[in-house]
């Protein structure tokens, strides 16, 4: 469950729509030190234009020439859709214009960022790993993956064992988790069996529901393992189901289908595969800062995939 930035008010945007909340801001100031995600970078060319589609306290989403971007404060963390900087903007509303003129990003008629020297973020190449390093990494995960840490959302699904007293949300996810397991084992012809993966898409409250986060984490872990055929099979089952969630969650799932997600999630997957205990602990701290449960929900999906990879060898 992702609620913009580090907020956690539990509001759900509903199917196919996203709420906009407005807070007054100081006058816009031009920011020169900007980091952009590799997918957002495709939108930031001269004469590109669009509009704001959702506004939150520390970020806003815009669609520019059909490409979604998330413009926000550096603290929300790197990712494929982000445009990050020490931004200040006035009160914004859905529908405000966004455009690129030369190297300048204009928002609501005011210059916001100079993109000339922007840095483009992309995840690191897939890590070098072995079964022994993965086992060591999962041992490090198991040392902390319990108790209050996994008491909300779908994080407990990453533990490899769902307790009998699991929450209503986790119990509602069980058919979808079983369908995910069938895709991972190659018996994906049954993955669409009702309710199947449709039981995960849109499941849970928040801007990105827990079920979507878990699926996204699984897609990214499959890409990291080099299991592209399995990733594409999973996405092939999920893509027709995307009407079951909201616009913003949909675009994050599409990014995950390409192998891209939050930098903290990539760091956690990489550290686990490499068996880097200290690196995993740092990544876990960053994951805990993503939404209310979104970071942990996404990593739970990754853990399902990583545990399966260890079992099948």
């Amino acid at each position: 469950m992702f609620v913009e930035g580090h907020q956690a008010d539990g509001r759900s945007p509903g199917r196919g729509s996203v709420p906009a909340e407005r807070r007054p801001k100081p006058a816009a100031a031009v920011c020169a030190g900007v980091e952009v995600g590799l997918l957002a970078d495709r939108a930031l060319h001269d004469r590109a234009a669009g509009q704001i589609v959702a506004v939150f306290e520390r970020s806003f989403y815009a669609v520019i020439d059909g490409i979604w971007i998330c413009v926000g404060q550096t603290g929300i963390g790197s990712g494929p859709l982000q445009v990050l900087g020490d931004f200040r903007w006035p009160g914004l509303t859905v529908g405000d214009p966004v455009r690129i003129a030369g190297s300048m990003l204009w928002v609501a008629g005011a210059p916001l960022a100079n993109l000339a020297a922007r840095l483009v973020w992309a995840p690191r190449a897939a890590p070098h790993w072995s079964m022994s390093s993965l086992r060591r990494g999962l041992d490090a995960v198991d040392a902390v993956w319990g108790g209050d840490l996994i008491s909300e959302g779908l994080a407990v699904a990453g533990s490899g064992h769902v307790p009998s007293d699991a929450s209503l949300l986790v119990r509602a996810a069980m058919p979808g988790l079983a369908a995910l397991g069938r895709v991972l084992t190659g018996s994906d012809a049954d993955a669409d069996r009702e309710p199947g993966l449709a039981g995960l898409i849109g499941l849970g409250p928040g801007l990105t529901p827990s079920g979507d986060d878990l699926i996204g984490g699984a897609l990214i872990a499959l890409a990291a393992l080099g299991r592209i055929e399995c990733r594409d099979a999973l996405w092939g089952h999920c893509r027709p189901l995307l009407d079951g969630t909201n616009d913003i969650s949909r675009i994050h799932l599409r990014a995950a289908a390409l192998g891209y997600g939050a930098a903290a999630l990539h760091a956690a997957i990489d550290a686990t595969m490499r068996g880097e205990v200290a690196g995993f602990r740092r990544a876990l701290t960053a994951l805990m800062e993503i939404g209310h449960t979104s970071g942990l929900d996404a990593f739970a999906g990754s853990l399902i995939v990583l545990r399966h990879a260890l079992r099948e060898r």
Side-chain angles (χ1 to χ4, degrees):
M1 177 178 68
F2 176 82
V3 183
E4 188 275 326
H6 299 179
Q7 306 306 307
D9 56 15
R11 288 171 300 163
S12 173
R15 182 169 299 197
S17 63
V18 178
E21 62 180 54
R22 288 183 280 169
R23 302 274 182 98
K25 295 287 181 180
V30 176
C31 176
V34 179
E35 177 191 284
V36 306
L38 76 169
L39 298 183
D41 191 54
R42 300 175 183 178
L44 304 178
H45 57 85
D46 187 29
R47 300 184 182 180
Q51 65 179 12
I52 292 175
V53 295
V55 181
F56 303 98
E57 183 179 5
R58 297 193 303 153
S59 69
F60 63 86
Y61 282 81
V63 179
I64 302 178
D65 287 357
I67 299 174
W68 284 69
I69 65 171
C70 175
V71 181
Q73 303 294 330
T74 303
I76 70 172
S78 302
L81 306 176
Q82 269 82 317
V83 178
L84 302 180
D86 184 20
F87 298 130
R88 296 173 60 201
W89 53 67
L92 301 175
T93 63
V94 171
D96 280 344
V98 177
R99 64 185 177 92
I100 312 295
S103 62
M104 193 69 67
L105 171 63
W106 290 73
V107 177
L112 182 68
N114 187 334
L115 304 173
R118 64 186 182 269
L119 300 176
V120 178
W121 175 89
R124 296 195 310 179
H128 296 291
W129 62 284
S130 64
M131 282 295 129
S132 61
S133 70
L134 177 57
R135 186 175 294 107
R136 187 167 63 250
L138 288 172
D139 285 345
V141 172
D142 290 339
V144 299
W145 201 257
D148 290 343
L149 180 68
I150 62 172
S151 63
E152 297 184 69
L154 295 178
V156 70
S159 66
H161 172 70
V162 176
S164 58
D165 61 347
S167 69
L168 289 175
L169 179 66
V170 173
R171 280 181 273 171
M174 292 303 292
L177 294 172
L180 173 59
R182 290 193 292 273
V183 174
L184 297 180
T185 58
S187 55
D188 57 349
D190 294 329
D192 294 327
R193 188 169 60 202
E194 289 296 331
L197 290 168
L200 287 177
I201 300 296
L203 178 65
L207 188 58
T208 60
S210 292
D212 295 0
D213 293 327
L214 185 142
I215 289 290
L219 288 164
I220 292 167
L222 285 168
L225 288 170
R227 294 193 60 190
I228 304 304
E229 185 176 343
C230 187
R231 179 200 68 182
D232 291 347
L234 176 57
W235 180 237
H237 288 293
C238 292
R239 187 169 48 208
L241 305 173
L242 294 182
D243 284 346
T245 192
N246 67 73
D247 292 336
I248 288 179
S249 193
R250 245 191 316 272
I251 201 65
H252 283 288
L253 280 170
R254 292 186 186 280
L258 298 173
Y260 305 132
L265 178 60
H266 284 282
I269 294 169
D270 286 5
T272 303
M273 291 172 63
R274 294 174 187 267
E276 296 177 352
V277 176
F280 164 70
R281 289 174 179 165
R282 288 193 298 271
L284 178 61
T285 298
L287 280 175
M288 293 168 64
E289 295 297 318
I290 300 178
H292 184 51
T293 63
S294 269
L296 299 180
D297 289 334
F299 191 51
S302 300
L303 286 174
I304 290 171
V305 169
L306 296 176
R307 293 185 192 281
H308 180 268
L310 190 62
R311 288 195 303 268
E312 71 176 358
R313 293 294 179 94

